[in-house]
Amino acid sequence: MADKARGPRREPVAHPPSDDPAADIGVEARIAAGVLLNAALERRNGLDEAMSFTEVAALPAPDRAFARAVAMAALRRLGEIDQILDRRLQKSPPEAVRTLLRVSLAQTLVLGTPAFAAVSTAVKLAERGVKTRPYKALVNAVLRGVEREGPGLTTARSNLPDWIAARWAQAYGEAMLEAIALAVREEPPTDLSLKPGVDAGALAAALDGRVLPGGTVRTGARGDVAGWPGYETGDWWVQDAAAAVPVRLLAPKAGEAVLDLCAAPGGKTLQIAASGAAVTALDRSETRLKRVRQNLERTGLSAEVVVANGEEWQDDRTFDAVLLDAPCTATGTLRRNPEVLRATRPADVAKLADVQHRLLDAAALRVKPGGRLVYCVCSLEREEGETQIIAFLRRNPAFRTVAADPAAVGAAAEAVTPEGWLRILPSQWPEHGGLDGFFAARLERR
């Protein structure tokens, strides 16, 4: 099957309003879902950017939330949805029609929306668009056919672009590939990192959650986290359990000087600050650092925040410990950000690997003798993880690997590589509900 999720998308939004407002209840939210879906398929961060588009931002909050949920459901199951459609379409319809069908099937097959409601709305949307109106009968026939006969068999692997599936099969094996593909399907829970002294058990009980190895609190609760207990008092911040591992691996201590290179959005900065270390949070993006400052203020933690390029920072200080959470393809975040699978291209891996190479060398210069360097990426690509460290150690014989203790850092035992690094996969911790994919290695200057 051709990968129809790639390439530019025309947004199906230029529709005149209906003359009968009562007939359009729920329609605008479905239009918004199509806008979000197409924006996510067009470019990295497209979905988040599209949340500010008029078609989305003008909706009431519940409708915005619904539109985003539909778009995310479609992204997680895009390959399967297209498998279902391709069996029922003799030839590919215009992209606006495919968007209507994708949005409708995401509602009925993933979110459990009653078929009669989703189909009726899809037909109304087809009627409203000049380009989709000639396909009104087709939309109705395809969706009614799925409702009547069922979707048929689909494969989780189809939700992965072919080139990514081939890479991961080679890197991790077919069985692990299938497990990762299954992880893409599921909406992940929310993970919270806590300030020292906060009662994890009490917070987990209040949120109907549980405490994971390492101390992260995981909850299936949904909605605006600003209303959750402990938010206003700054007791915690949202951070995937895997994303909390690298700072535990770094093990900052009170009184140490620690550099968080490429610090935004700031979860790791907060972890370091909570340890009592004097942390310098550096990032090239002033806009992204605003969020770091806001969370520092909310939690009552402190850090020196610096806007600078990590490779060119004009400061001669060295540090007891340096954390480099390098820019990467972010393919390990596929559970929370399934759009990265469609936005990432093969050329991106090599391009970002070059950036990581330079940043690693810059980070090494900041480590005091006897000091520690942790390198991490939320990527499943070996060129961005294992290969980077192998090449770095060849270039920098003054550094050596310090083997990770998975129990001490809150990682699965199977995450430890033969070299002592951590390769965390989304399929690990199935008993806890999985986690993001990460690579992390702790190095020490001799």
Side-chain angles (χ1 to χ4, degrees):
M1 182 187 68
D3 184 0
K4 297 181 177 60
R6 296 181 183 177
R9 296 289 185 271
R10 293 185 295 275
E11 297 168 2
V13 299
H15 305 305
S18 168
D19 293 334
D20 180 8
D24 281 341
I25 295 174
V27 169
E28 301 302 331
R30 272 70 172 185
I31 292 175
V35 170
L36 294 173
L37 173 60
N38 287 342
L41 295 175
E42 283 180 356
R43 59 193 177 279
R44 187 176 293 270
N45 299 322
L47 187 145
D48 288 336
E49 294 171 6
M51 290 296 292
S52 64
F53 291 178
T54 301
E55 298 89 343
V56 184
L59 294 175
D63 287 0
R64 286 199 305 274
F66 174 79
R68 191 177 193 282
V70 172
M72 291 294 283
L75 286 166
R76 288 194 174 93
R77 301 291 188 104
L78 194 65
E80 293 178 89
I81 288 172
D82 280 350
Q83 279 185 321
I84 295 166
L85 292 176
D86 288 346
R87 287 197 287 259
R88 295 182 173 276
L89 296 169
Q90 294 182 349
K91 62 179 181 178
S92 186
E95 199 61 35
V97 176
R98 182 171 284 271
T99 296
L100 289 179
L101 293 169
R102 285 169 165 171
V103 166
S104 183
L105 290 181
Q107 293 172 65
T108 58
L109 301 182
V110 184
L111 298 181
T113 301
F116 72 87
V119 174
S120 174
T121 303
V123 172
K124 291 176 185 176
L125 283 172
E127 175 65 28
R128 290 175 61 171
V130 174
K131 294 181 179 180
T132 56
R133 190 172 298 127
Y135 297 88
K136 175 182 174 181
L138 175 69
V139 168
N140 184 69
V142 168
L143 296 179
R144 295 294 183 192
V146 173
E147 176 189 4
R148 181 176 59 254
E149 300 166 14
L153 294 177
T154 59
T155 59
R157 181 170 176 163
S158 68
N159 297 317
L160 305 175
D162 290 341
W163 72 274
I164 286 182
R167 288 173 61 88
W168 293 352
Q170 182 178 22
Y172 306 117
E174 289 288 342
M176 192 60 68
L177 171 65
E178 293 298 328
I180 294 172
L182 288 171
V184 179
R185 284 175 162 179
E186 305 302 324
E187 182 179 3
T190 300
D191 292 345
L192 309 177
S193 290
L194 279 56
K195 285 172 58 176
V198 175
D199 188 332
L203 180 62
L207 293 172
D208 195 22
R210 54 180 166 163
V211 183
L212 300 179
T216 292
V217 169
R218 170 163 289 182
T219 175
R222 307 295 179 195
D224 185 2
V225 299
W228 293 3
Y231 178 86
E232 291 188 357
T233 52
D235 291 348
W236 49 262
W237 56 94
V238 176
Q239 184 179 33
D240 187 85
V245 167
V247 172
R248 299 191 194 118
L249 188 62
L250 187 68
K253 301 176 181 64
E256 287 188 324
V258 180
L259 174 62
D260 185 2
L261 208 57
C262 306
K268 297 176 182 66
T269 296
L270 297 175
Q271 280 183 279
I272 298 169
S275 74
V279 57
T280 299
L282 183 145
D283 200 278
R284 65 187 300 173
S285 171
E286 171 65 44
T287 300
R288 298 184 76 220
L289 281 173
K290 289 180 181 177
R291 183 176 173 186
V292 178
R293 292 189 178 97
Q294 290 169 353
N295 276 319
L296 285 167
E297 181 178 359
R298 181 178 65 83
T299 57
L301 298 170
S302 61
E304 177 190 9
V305 180
V306 178
V307 182
N309 185 320
E311 298 177 55
E312 304 168 358
W313 186 33
Q314 298 299 307
D315 191 305
D316 59 5
R317 281 180 288 171
T318 56
F319 298 81
D320 299 299
V322 175
L323 174 69
L324 173 57
D325 183 3
C328 67
T329 55
T331 50
T333 68
L334 74 182
R335 295 157 62 251
R336 300 187 187 282
N337 305 295
E339 66 272 21
V340 302
L341 297 175
R342 307 292 170 173
T344 302
R345 298 292 181 264
D348 296 338
V349 179
K351 179 180 178 181
L352 285 162
D354 185 57
V355 174
Q356 293 150 8
H357 171 122
R358 299 196 307 269
L359 282 169
L360 253 173
D361 285 347
L365 298 175
R366 301 287 177 180
V367 182
K368 292 179 179 179
R372 314 179 300 284
L373 168 63
V374 165
Y375 169 80
C376 66
V377 285
C378 55
S379 167
L380 298 186
E381 316 315 310
R382 289 187 178 273
E383 296 92 327
E384 300 183 83
E386 291 88 342
T387 302
Q388 286 291 346
I389 298 302
I390 291 170
F392 173 81
L393 291 172
R394 289 173 180 166
R395 297 192 306 272
N396 295 273
F399 283 83
R400 67 180 182 90
T401 293
V402 178
D405 178 355
V409 299
E414 61 267 32
V416 181
T417 72
E419 300 85 357
W421 308 326
L422 291 173
R423 169 52 76 184
I424 301 172
L425 298 176
S427 53
Q428 292 170 359
W429 268 8
E431 70 276 19
H432 298 301
L435 69 177
D436 282 355
F438 255 85
F439 173 84
R442 173 169 163 161
L443 309 172
E444 181 179 82
R445 181 182 283 277
R446 300 179 192 274

